[in-house]
Amino acid sequence: MKENFIWHEHDTVELFMVLDGELIIDLVNDKTIKLLPGEIFMVPSHTQHRTRSNGRTVNLCFEKKDNDINGIS
């Protein structure tokens, strides 16, 4: 991951696990989660969020195969 993602939400939970770098997850309630290698975080369903980084980040994202993004500009 090298670019910021848009604000969006899913009908199901989404789980992130960082392998390298630092992943930043902004939540709609002005809360920010910072994950380092080996750390995980689950975004609850129907929670507006976006992912970003300050540099190269390698992470795994676990989500439903046909997960639609309900984007917010």
Side-chain angles (χ1 to χ4, degrees):
M1 176 178 168
K2 295 181 182 178
E3 298 180 13
N4 297 344
F5 204 73
I6 62 168
W7 283 99
H8 64 284
E9 64 182 71
H10 305 282
D11 292 336
T12 60
V13 299
E14 186 174 25
L15 180 77
F16 293 93
M17 178 180 180
V18 176
L19 302 178
D20 188 36
E22 178 184 52
L23 178 66
I24 302 166
I25 304 171
D26 295 319
L27 303 173
V28 74
N29 62 2
D30 292 328
K31 186 174 184 179
T32 298
I33 307 298
K34 294 184 178 183
L35 300 177
L36 297 173
E39 295 182 325
I40 60 173
F41 181 76
M42 183 182 69
V43 178
S45 61
H46 304 285
T47 301
Q48 295 176 17
H49 64 285
R50 70 175 175 185
T51 55
R52 59 188 175 92
S53 67
N54 293 324
R56 181 179 178 272
T57 300
V58 178
N59 64 81
L60 297 174
C61 176
F62 298 90
E63 61 185 354
K64 187 177 170 184
K65 181 179 177 181
D66 58 350
N67 205 358
D68 289 331
I69 295 175
N70 301 316
I72 300 170
S73 307

